[in-house]
Amino acid sequence: MSPRRRFRGFSSFRTRVFWSVVPIVVSFLVFQAWMNIREHRRLVTEEFEKRGRALAANLGFASELGAFSEDTQLLAVAMRGALRNPDVAYVIVHAGDGRILATGGRQVTVVAQSAGGPIDRTQSRHVEHAGQRFIEFVSPIVSEETQTPDEVLMGTRIRPQTEREKVIGGVRVGLALAGVEEQVRALAKLWGGITLAFLMVSAVVIYAFSRRITKPVKQLTEQAQKIADGHLEEQIAVQSRDEIGQLATAFNRMTGSLQVTMTDRAQALAELQELNRTLEDRIRQRTLELEERGVALERSLEDVRAMGEVSRAIGSSLDLGEVLDTISTHALHLAGAAACGIFELDAAREHLMVVSSVGLDEQILKILEGARASAEAGSDDPIARVLAIGQPVQIPDLAVDAGVPGQKEYLQAGLRALLALPMGSAGVSHVMVVYRREPGRLDERAVELLSTLANQSRVAIDNARLFKELDGKSRQLEAASRHKSDFLANVSHELRTPMNAILGFNELILDQAYGPISKDMRRPLTDIQQSGKHLLRVINDVLDLSKIEAGRMQLVLGEYAVADTVAAVRASLASLAMEKGLEFVTSVPEDLPLAYGDSKRIVQCLTNLAGNALKFTQKGRVEIGAESVNGELRFRVSDTGIGIPRERIGGLFAEFQQADATIARDFGGTGLGLSITKRFVEMHGGRVWAESEVGRGSTFFFAIPLRAEAGRSS
C-alpha cells in the first residue's frame, strides 16, 4: 500500500470521527433551543391569557350601568381604559339578547358582528379573522335585581344571592397575538445565532481532537505494515504509555511470538504427516461402525414409518367398529400372522367379549365369547394372564401347551402359535391376540412393535367411544337448547302483557286520571314507571333472542332513508344525553341513497349501541355516523367513555356477557343488547366489530349491504 493511500485512509478515519461528534453537538443545541423557545412561548401565552381574562372581567364589571341603561357614552368611557392597552385589538359590548351596544378598537371591523349565545361565565377562545389571529375573552355583565316589597318591609333577603343576579349582556375583548409571535421570532433568531456560533467553535475543537487521535494511529499502522510484509525483526518505537503505547508493545511481543511460531511450524508439519498415515486406518474402522449403525437406524426408521402409517390409519376414523378392524388388519401385517382378535372385559370384569376379529373361525369365537376371565397370573389361559400381569404373553406351540382354552379348535384351524398383548398399562380391559400358523416365538422387535400398536390403539378406542358418547350428548343439548328458547319465548309473552297493563295503569295514576296524588306518592310511582320500562326492555330483548335462537325471527324488508333512521335514534335518546350533560351529535352524508332492509331492526341496533355509549360515558360526546363504503352501508357509534380492555373485546357480543364484572354492578345491564345487535346485523348479511382504548372511549361499527337480500331469517 502506498503512503498516499494510507494517508487517505487516515484522513477518512479523522473525517468519520469529526462527523460522528458534530451531529451530536448540533442535535443538543437544536433541542435546547427548541425547549427554551417552547417554554418561553408557553409562559408568555399564559401571562397573556391571565391579563386578557382580567381585562374582560373588569370591563364586564365597569359596563354594568351602561349595559343596563344601554348608554353608549357610559360604555365608551368604560372601554377607554381597556383600549389604551396596545395588545387590545377590539372590544364589543352587547346586550343580553345579542344586540351590539358599543364597539371599539383598531381592528373591530374585521370581527364578525354576531354576538353568539348567552354568556354565564368568563371564558376564552382562539379565533382568526381576515388572516389575523386573536385570543378572544368573553365575560358576562351581571346586574343585581332590586329588592322586592316584602324584602324592604322585613329588612331581610328572602331569595338567595344567586337568584338576585341577572346576566344583562356580555363583553368580548380580542387581544392580538402579533406581539407574542414577535417575541417568539426574536427569541428564535437569538438562539439561532448562538447555535451557529457555538457550532463553529465546536467544529474547530473537534477537528483538532480528531487530528490528535489519528496521528499516532497512522505511525503505528506504517510500522505494522512492515511487519506484515515479513520483516519480523522490525520493532515499533514506543513513544507513550497510553493505549497507543500499549498497542505498540503488544505488536512487538507478537513479532517475537511469530518468530517462535515459525520454528514450531516445521516441527508440527512433521508430526502431521505421521498422523495422516494412521488416520486412514481410523477412518476405515469408523466407516464400518457407521455402516452398522446406519443399518440399525434404517430398521428403526422403517419401524417408525410403519407405526406412523398405522397411527394415521387408526386416527382417520372415529367409528369404533372401523377403528377396531383397522387395528386388527395392521396387527396381522406387522406380525406376519394369520388371524387376530381383540377382546374386552364386560362392565363387571367377569366375562370376555369379542369386539373385533380377522381370520378367526366362528367356532373359536363361540368358545372365547362369554368365557369367564379369571385374571390370575398362573392361569393357563393367555388372555387371563395378560389381564393379571399387564405384560405380553407368548405361546410358541399350541400343540404342546394343553391347558389353553380352545386348543383343539386352534389346531383344527391350522393355528400353532399366539401372542397376547395388553392394550394399555394400568387397569387393562382390552387384550389383542395375534395367531400364526408356524410355531415359534416372535422376535423382540416384532413384539415391541405390536406392544406399541396395542398402546396406541387403546387411545384410539377411547377416542372413538368418547366421540360416540359426545355425539349423543350433543343431540341432547341441542334439544334442551330448543326447549329453553321455546320456554323463554312463551314466558316473555306471558310477562309482557301484564307488564304493559301495569305501566298503563301507573301512567294513568301519574296523569291524575283517578284523582290528584301527593308529592310523596309521585316519586315512588315515577320509580315504578322507570323500573317497569327497564323490565319491559329486558323482556323484549329476551323475547327477540329466543325468537332468533328458535329460528322464528324474520326480517321485514323495505326501503328506508338512513338519515331518518339515525335521526329517530337521536330523538329517542336525546333526553338521556341532556340529563347527563353529554354532547350528542350525528354525522350522515346528504347524498346517501335509499337503503333496503328492515329499518325497525336497524333502529334497534343503533339504539342498543348508542344507549350503551351514553350509559358508559360520564363526560364528553357521543356520535352516530353512517357512510357508504365499497357498496355497503357502514354505521358507527363512538364515545369518549370508560373504554374496553383489548383482551375483552372478543367476548362483548356473547349472550349475557359484559366487558368486566364490575360493569354490571356500577352501570347495570343484562348483556343482551350487543348479542341481539350482532344477530340482526348478521341476518342482514353484515358484520359487527369494535375498537376501544381504556380511558379514551370506544367505537362500535356494523356494516350491512346497501340492498339486503329478501327472505333472510335467523
Side-chain angles (χ1 to χ4, degrees):
M1 181 184 293
S2 65
R4 185 173 182 179
R5 291 183 62 185
R6 290 197 298 271
F7 176 75
R8 287 180 179 177
F10 282 105
S11 298
S12 177
F13 174 68
R14 184 165 58 243
T15 303
R16 287 197 299 269
V17 172
F18 178 80
W19 287 112
S20 297
V21 179
V22 167
I24 298 174
V25 176
V26 173
S27 300
F28 174 77
L29 293 175
V30 172
F31 176 75
Q32 187 69 19
W34 177 77
M35 289 293 293
N36 278 274
I37 294 172
R38 180 171 173 271
E39 182 65 17
H40 180 76
R41 183 185 184 90
R42 185 183 67 80
L43 294 174
V44 171
T45 304
E46 288 181 356
E47 184 64 28
F48 202 68
E49 290 184 354
K50 289 180 182 178
R51 187 171 50 176
R53 290 192 184 93
L55 281 173
N58 292 335
L59 185 56
F61 178 77
S63 301
E64 176 184 356
L65 182 59
F68 183 78
S69 61
E70 297 187 2
D71 190 336
T72 57
Q73 291 183 354
L74 289 176
L75 293 174
V77 171
M79 291 189 299
R80 191 174 302 159
L83 293 173
R84 290 191 185 123
N85 193 316
D87 292 326
V88 176
Y90 60 87
V91 176
I92 300 175
V93 181
H94 58 81
D97 56 1
R99 292 180 294 104
I100 296 178
L101 300 179
T103 61
R106 61 184 181 277
Q107 292 176 319
V108 73
T109 57
V110 302
V111 181
Q113 296 300 313
S114 174
I119 302 172
D120 56 355
R121 58 189 176 85
T122 302
Q123 53 187 341
S124 63
R125 61 178 181 176
H126 290 258
V127 297
E128 185 173 350
H129 300 293
Q132 302 181 31
R133 299 173 62 232
F134 308 93
I135 299 180
E136 186 177 88
F137 299 89
V138 184
S139 178
I141 301 176
V142 181
S143 175
E144 184 176 353
E145 294 183 355
T146 60
Q147 294 181 328
T148 63
D150 292 338
E151 291 175 336
V152 173
L153 180 62
M154 296 176 64
T156 59
R157 293 185 177 182
I158 299 176
R159 295 171 296 169
Q161 183 66 25
T162 56
E163 296 183 4
R164 296 173 54 84
E165 294 181 351
K166 178 181 180 183
V167 177
I168 61 174
V171 175
R172 295 165 57 193
V173 179
L175 273 66
L177 289 172
V180 176
E181 294 174 352
E182 183 62 30
Q183 291 185 27
V184 174
R185 284 194 294 269
L187 184 62
K189 292 179 181 179
L190 175 61
W191 269 101
I194 294 173
T195 301
L196 182 60
F198 194 81
L199 180 61
M200 294 175 64
V201 174
S202 300
V204 174
V205 174
I206 293 170
Y207 179 79
F209 175 72
S210 62
R211 184 179 180 86
R212 180 180 179 183
I213 290 177
T214 56
K215 184 177 180 181
V217 175
K218 177 182 176 182
Q219 296 174 352
L220 184 61
T221 304
E222 291 175 351
Q223 294 295 330
Q225 184 62 37
K226 295 179 181 179
I227 296 174
D229 292 339
H231 303 287
L232 298 179
E233 69 280 358
E234 291 286 342
Q235 293 291 312
I236 300 174
V238 179
Q239 299 178 354
S240 62
R241 296 183 179 180
D242 56 9
E243 287 80 0
I244 302 297
Q246 295 175 5
L247 181 60
T249 303
F251 265 105
N252 292 333
R253 292 176 181 174
M254 180 186 67
T255 303
S257 299
L258 285 175
Q259 290 177 341
V260 176
T261 302
M262 294 300 293
T263 304
D264 296 339
R265 178 183 176 185
Q267 183 179 356
L269 183 59
E271 295 176 356
L272 182 60
Q273 291 174 351
E274 180 65 22
L275 289 174
N276 286 336
R277 285 191 294 270
T278 60
L279 184 59
E280 293 181 0
D281 297 335
R282 295 180 182 178
I283 292 176
R284 189 178 300 108
Q285 182 180 1
R286 188 63 174 171
T287 302
L288 293 175
E289 294 177 358
L290 291 175
E291 288 177 354
E292 293 176 357
R293 292 185 181 181
V295 172
L297 181 60
E298 183 65 26
R299 293 184 60 187
S300 299
L301 289 176
E302 290 179 358
D303 295 343
V304 171
R305 191 179 301 110
M307 292 306 303
E309 293 176 356
V310 172
S311 299
R312 286 193 296 272
I314 294 174
S316 62
S317 175
L318 289 174
D319 182 77
L320 184 58
E322 185 177 348
V323 169
L324 293 173
D325 292 342
T326 303
I327 294 170
S328 300
T329 303
H330 283 85
L332 291 178
H333 175 72
L334 292 174
C340 177
I342 297 178
F343 305 92
E344 179 183 7
L345 279 176
D346 59 8
R349 298 184 66 86
E350 294 181 352
H351 296 85
L352 286 176
M353 297 183 296
V354 181
V355 293
S356 177
S357 65
V358 177
L360 285 178
D361 187 79
E362 292 184 2
Q363 190 172 2
I364 298 176
L365 294 176
K366 289 180 181 179
I367 296 174
L368 297 176
E369 181 73 35
R372 292 190 61 83
S374 56
E376 298 177 359
S379 175
D380 293 331
D381 186 355
I383 298 178
R385 276 190 281 168
V386 169
L387 292 173
I389 65 177
Q391 298 292 331
V393 173
Q394 285 201 67
I395 298 182
D397 193 347
L398 290 170
V400 176
D401 198 335
V404 177
Q407 178 192 33
K408 180 179 178 181
E409 287 75 12
Y410 286 144
L411 296 176
Q412 289 177 353
L415 304 177
R416 294 293 304 275
L418 67 79
L419 170 65
L421 305 106
M423 302 181 75
S425 54
V428 177
S429 60
H430 287 75
V431 177
M432 181 173 65
V433 183
V434 292
Y435 303 88
R436 296 185 299 119
R437 297 188 183 277
E438 298 81 13
R441 300 181 65 88
L442 280 173
D443 59 15
E444 294 182 359
R445 174 173 170 271
V447 175
E448 184 178 355
L449 284 176
L450 290 172
S451 299
T452 304
L453 172 62
N455 291 329
Q456 291 182 353
S457 301
R458 176 60 184 272
V459 177
I461 293 172
D462 291 342
N463 289 341
R465 180 167 296 160
L466 288 174
F467 176 77
K468 184 176 180 179
E469 294 176 359
L470 287 176
D471 186 52
K473 295 294 183 182
S474 297
R475 293 192 181 94
Q476 296 176 9
L477 288 175
E478 289 178 1
S481 179
R482 287 194 299 270
H483 294 326
K484 182 264 295 181
S485 298
D486 293 338
F487 172 75
L488 288 177
N490 294 331
V491 170
S492 299
H493 274 297
E494 295 297 329
L495 291 176
R496 188 164 58 173
T497 301
M499 183 56 63
N500 282 324
I502 292 172
L503 292 177
F505 283 117
N506 192 73
E507 188 172 357
L508 290 175
I509 295 174
L510 286 173
D511 293 339
Q512 300 185 8
Y514 300 105
I517 58 176
S518 63
K519 292 183 179 180
D520 295 337
M521 287 296 297
R522 180 170 293 276
R523 177 60 182 272
L525 290 173
T526 303
D527 293 341
I528 291 173
Q529 192 73 9
Q530 293 177 352
S531 299
K533 289 181 179 180
H534 173 71
L535 180 57
L536 186 59
R537 285 194 298 269
V538 173
I539 293 173
N540 289 332
D541 288 343
V542 172
L543 180 59
D544 288 341
L545 183 62
S546 301
K547 286 182 177 180
I548 292 172
E549 291 182 347
R552 295 185 294 180
M553 178 68 72
Q554 291 186 348
L555 298 179
V556 181
L557 302 180
E559 290 190 342
Y560 63 93
V562 178
D564 295 342
T565 301
V566 175
V569 176
R570 185 183 185 281
S572 65
L573 299 175
S575 59
L576 178 59
M578 185 179 300
E579 180 181 346
K580 297 187 68 174
L582 301 176
E583 183 182 1
F584 192 21
V585 297
T586 60
S587 174
V588 181
E590 297 180 357
D591 58 348
L592 275 182
L594 290 176
Y596 185 77
D598 192 335
S599 60
K600 179 181 177 182
R601 299 307 178 188
I602 298 302
V603 169
Q604 186 174 353
C605 294
L606 289 175
T607 302
N608 288 340
L609 296 179
N612 283 345
L614 292 171
K615 180 167 62 176
F616 297 124
T617 302
Q618 302 298 331
K619 60 180 180 178
R621 60 179 285 163
V622 174
E623 180 180 358
I624 304 177
E627 58 182 342
S628 179
V629 180
N630 297 328
E632 66 179 8
L633 190 60
R634 181 175 296 178
F635 291 91
R636 179 188 74 256
V637 177
S638 58
D639 61 68
T640 58
I642 60 177
I644 305 168
R646 186 182 302 273
E647 65 275 7
R648 298 185 182 271
I649 292 179
L652 288 176
F653 298 99
E655 291 85 355
F656 304 103
Q657 295 292 324
Q658 291 185 333
D660 196 339
T662 59
I663 289 180
R665 182 181 68 248
D666 298 338
F667 296 93
T670 61
L672 287 177
L674 293 179
S675 173
I676 293 175
T677 298
K678 180 176 182 292
R679 296 293 187 94
F680 284 145
V681 169
E682 290 175 347
M683 289 172 64
H684 278 80
R687 66 192 190 282
V688 60
W689 70 97
E691 298 174 357
S692 182
E693 184 176 350
V694 176
R696 302 191 63 178
S698 307
T699 302
F700 284 79
F701 302 88
F702 69 87
I704 59 175
L706 192 60
R707 309 289 295 181
E709 298 179 6
R712 282 190 177 273
S713 63
S714 60

